[in-house]
Amino acid sequence: MAYDTNNIFAKILRGEIPCKAVYEDEFALAFPDINPQAPVHLLVIPKGEYVSAADFNASAPPDALTGFYRAVAHVAKLAGVADNGYRLICNIGADSRSEVPHFHVHILGGKKLGHLLGPPVAE
Ligand code: 5GP
């Protein structure tokens, strides 16, 4: 799948759409999800053009991989969920119901979370 430079997170990275950044470095940008599913629900995105975790993990250079995943852990600490625990989610492709084709990690926490998968959703 080719990277769509008009996806919403690409626009956020270019500053064309505002976000309330909670963390930014050369590898990653973190901001709250617009539709939070838990008291803490942050998105962490890499600065490079990767459509999914599969694309990022296969294609990104080692410094980008290390920098990004360290940023995810750092953001969880900043958000105050590192001690009690949190969930990371990466949706990949259609069956996961991924909406935005720019790799992102969801950080969810701030309460005891429900089961890993919610109830089935009608097609
Ligand atoms: P996905 O389903 O692709 O894993 O997750 C995409 C997430 O992006 C969703 O949880 C959705 O609420 C969030 N989202 C979509 N558009 C925007 C936006 O414009 N700003 C922010 N902050 N989050 C967004």
Side-chain angles (χ1 to χ4, degrees), residues 8-9 12 17 31-35 41 43 91 97-100 104 106:
I8 202 95
F9 294 167
I12 286 174
I17 291 177
F31 50 89
D33 194 291
I34 203 169
N35 183 21
H41 186 175
L43 301 170
N91 290 315
R97 299 184 183 277
S98 180
E99 289 173 21
V100 181
H104 50 282
H106 298 254

Side-chain angles (χ1 to χ4, degrees), residues 13 35 58 64 87 97 103 106 115:
L13 276 175
N35 183 21
R87 184 173 294 160
R97 299 184 183 277
F103 172 41
H106 298 254
H115 293 294

Side-chain angles (χ1 to χ4, degrees), residues 13-96:
L13 276 175
R14 291 196 295 267
E16 295 165 13
I17 291 177
C19 78
K20 293 185 176 166
V22 298
Y23 179 75
E24 182 168 13
D25 64 20
E26 68 179 294
F27 300 111
L29 174 68
F31 50 89
D33 194 291
I34 203 169
N35 183 21
Q37 303 296 306
V40 172
H41 186 175
L42 299 172
L43 301 170
V44 191
I45 67 175
K47 295 270 175 94
E49 297 183 349
Y50 303 99
V51 295
S52 68
D55 180 24
F56 182 69
N57 293 343
S59 311
D63 63 334
L65 287 163
T66 305
F68 178 76
Y69 287 111
R70 286 199 172 140
V72 171
H74 183 62
V75 170
K77 279 187 190 162
L78 287 179
V81 295
D83 287 344
N84 282 349
Y86 56 95
R87 184 173 294 160
L88 301 181
I89 295 178
C90 302
N91 290 315
I92 302 172
D95 276 0
S96 76

